Each structure stands twice: as C-alpha cells, then as structure tokens.
Amino acid sequence: MDVSGKGAQLAYFFLLSFFPLLLVIVSILPYLNINQEHVFRFMQTIVPTEVFLLTRGTIVEILTTYNGGGPLSIGIIGTLWAASQGMNAILKTLNEAYETEPKMGIINRGWSLVFTVLLILVLLLALLVPIFGQRYMYQLFDFLGVGASFVVFWNYVQWILPPLLIFIVLLLLFWLIPYTQPKVPIRTVLLGALFSTVSWVILIYGFSFYVKNFGNFTSTYGSIASVIILLLWLYFTGMILIFGGMLNATMYKRYLAKNKRGS
C-alpha cells in the first residue's frame, strides 16, 4: 500500500470534513448547556497547540454566528453528510489494508454516516464527562470524607481521559469498519489501536514542538501558512491510521492462519 499517497488522500478528506463536523457538534451544544471555554479546553487536549490556535478564529466564528434550526434540520443533515467524507475515506483505506472488496458506493456512504454519528456522540460524551463528572466525583469524595484528595485525583483523570477517548474511538473504528469474513475479532485490533493512540499523543506534543522550534512556515508559505500546518498535521494523522490498520490486518491474517492450522 502507498502509505504516503493514502495519507495525503486522507488529509484532503479530513480537511473537507473538519469544519462540517465541528458545525454539527456546535449545533447540538446549546441543548447540552456547554459553553465555548469547555469546547476550547477539549480541543486543546486532542490537537496540537498550533493547530488549535490557527483554527480558533474559525471555531469562534462558528460558535458565535451559527443560528441553524437545530440538529434535526435539513441543513444539519446535509452538513453531516459532508462531515462523513473523512470517515468514508477511512473506511475505504482500512478495507484496502485488509485486501477486501469494497461494497456499493451508497452502502459505504451509509456506513460512513453511521460511524460519523457515533464519533460525534463519543466527542459529546468526552465534553460532558469533565463537566458533570467533576461535580459528581467531588460530591462522592466529599461524602467519603476525602475531599482534599479530589484535586490530585482529578488532575490524573484529566491527563488520562483524552488518550483513553482516542483509544476507544480507534478501537471501535478498527473493529467495526473492515468488511471481512469471518468478522475481525476485537483482540486482533487492540495492538493497532494502542499503536495509533500512542503515536497520536506523541504527534500532538511533538508536532507543536517542531512547529514552535524548527518550522518556519510563515516565511515559506506566507499567508497560507496556517492551512499548510493544518494539512501537515492531518497528513500525519492519516498515516498513523493507515499504519494502525496495516498492523491490525497483519494480526488478522495471523489469526486466520492459526485457526486454519488448528482445524
């Protein structure tokens, strides 16, 4: 598989899907009573600092000016369809790693839409857990008489939660997406999901360090430097997903070979 070429392809579709996906999530936030600052804090934990700063203006614009008719409106359904382009590209790429035949186009897009909705639900859950979890966990610690230990405990939770969230999302994607017979066992995708999670965490901090200390994008690309930085990060993200999928495909082939020998 051409990992570099597929990574570039995924980056293109990720870019097309990034803001439509954000728009769908934002349209739901008023119903959940979540303010901008919570969204910003969450964004800073799952993307490099420079990517967040470069896209913050657009995020603010969407958060402050969007006045759609709600998550069930026709406009949101169309936006959700646009947001599913990135998931559709992931679906095709992972199935290619497993060397499986793609289904009909409309079926692929249907599954992409389903996985996009699931991704949105997981992201919304990740936004809600720190807000409501902190409140209820403090009440529990206070009830047990160890309220003073809550701050230390919650600091650890805030560090662990984003990588755990990324791992769960990737595990579900790697497990549910491939069109294989027999179905991919979940244990064969654990290694790829773990690899991709660790690599993505390293990318979040390593990319920020590189851009801040070595990258001179402004002098090279001028006014479009922000777009180049975002595309570069999405490109590396795509390659991480591809390597994780290829690792899982290898584990799946070993699983089939083992079962064949056993029979």
Side-chain angles (χ1 to χ4, degrees):
M1 179 184 291
D2 181 8
V3 177
S4 179
K6 288 293 181 180
Q9 181 181 354
L10 284 179
Y12 171 75
F13 285 107
F14 288 164
L15 183 63
L16 292 180
S17 303
F18 183 79
F19 291 108
L21 180 64
L22 183 62
L23 183 59
V24 174
I25 295 174
V26 167
S27 69
I28 303 174
L29 294 184
Y31 298 90
L32 303 177
N33 194 27
I34 300 176
N35 60 37
Q36 292 185 20
E37 290 305 317
H38 290 134
V39 178
F40 293 154
R41 284 200 296 269
F42 176 71
M43 286 286 294
Q44 287 176 296
T45 62
I46 63 173
V47 300
T49 303
E50 280 65 29
V51 173
F52 169 73
L53 293 176
L54 292 169
T55 58
R56 190 178 189 275
T58 306
I59 294 171
V60 171
E61 183 178 352
I62 294 175
L63 288 170
T64 56
T65 64
Y66 177 69
N67 56 359
L72 299 180
S73 68
I74 296 177
I76 290 299
I77 294 174
T79 305
L80 186 61
W81 184 263
S84 67
Q85 292 183 95
M87 193 63 69
N88 189 50
I90 294 175
L91 187 147
K92 291 179 179 179
T93 302
L94 290 182
N95 277 286
E96 186 174 332
Y98 280 86
E99 299 178 354
T100 56
E101 291 294 328
K103 294 183 180 294
M104 294 174 59
I106 188 66
I107 297 177
N108 276 344
R109 287 309 299 265
W111 276 115
S112 300
L113 196 61
V114 170
F115 288 129
T116 302
V117 172
L118 291 176
L119 176 61
I120 290 172
L121 292 176
V122 172
L123 292 174
L124 290 174
L125 179 64
L127 279 167
L128 291 171
V129 167
I131 299 170
F132 297 102
Q134 183 176 10
R135 180 189 310 168
Y136 293 120
M137 287 303 298
Y138 176 76
Q139 292 176 355
L140 176 62
F141 273 61
D142 191 53
F143 175 76
L144 296 175
V146 290
S149 304
F150 174 76
V151 175
V152 176
F153 167 80
W154 194 250
N155 285 336
Y156 281 113
V157 170
Q158 288 181 315
W159 276 100
I160 295 173
L161 185 60
L164 180 62
L165 167 70
I166 294 172
F167 176 77
I168 293 173
V169 170
L170 293 176
L171 184 67
L172 291 174
L173 288 178
F174 288 144
W175 179 43
L176 296 174
I177 281 181
Y179 300 136
T180 58
Q181 291 296 334
K183 180 62 180 172
V184 173
I186 194 168
R187 65 177 180 271
T188 64
V189 302
L190 288 171
L191 185 59
L194 181 61
F195 165 82
S196 297
T197 301
V198 173
S199 299
W200 204 358
V201 171
I202 293 173
L203 176 65
I204 290 173
Y205 296 101
F207 189 79
S208 296
F209 179 80
Y210 170 76
V211 172
K212 186 179 298 181
N213 295 279
F214 301 103
N216 193 10
F217 292 92
T218 302
S219 62
T220 304
Y221 297 103
S223 59
I224 64 169
S226 59
V227 178
I228 298 300
I229 291 176
L230 178 58
L231 274 173
L232 189 59
W233 177 68
L234 292 175
Y235 170 67
F236 287 134
T237 298
M239 291 185 67
I240 286 173
L241 292 175
I242 293 170
F243 277 121
M246 293 174 65
L247 184 58
N248 289 335
T250 301
M251 297 299 295
Y252 177 68
K253 291 174 182 177
R254 292 182 60 183
Y255 162 80
L256 293 180
K258 183 178 179 181
N259 282 359
K260 188 175 181 180
R261 289 196 301 268
S263 60

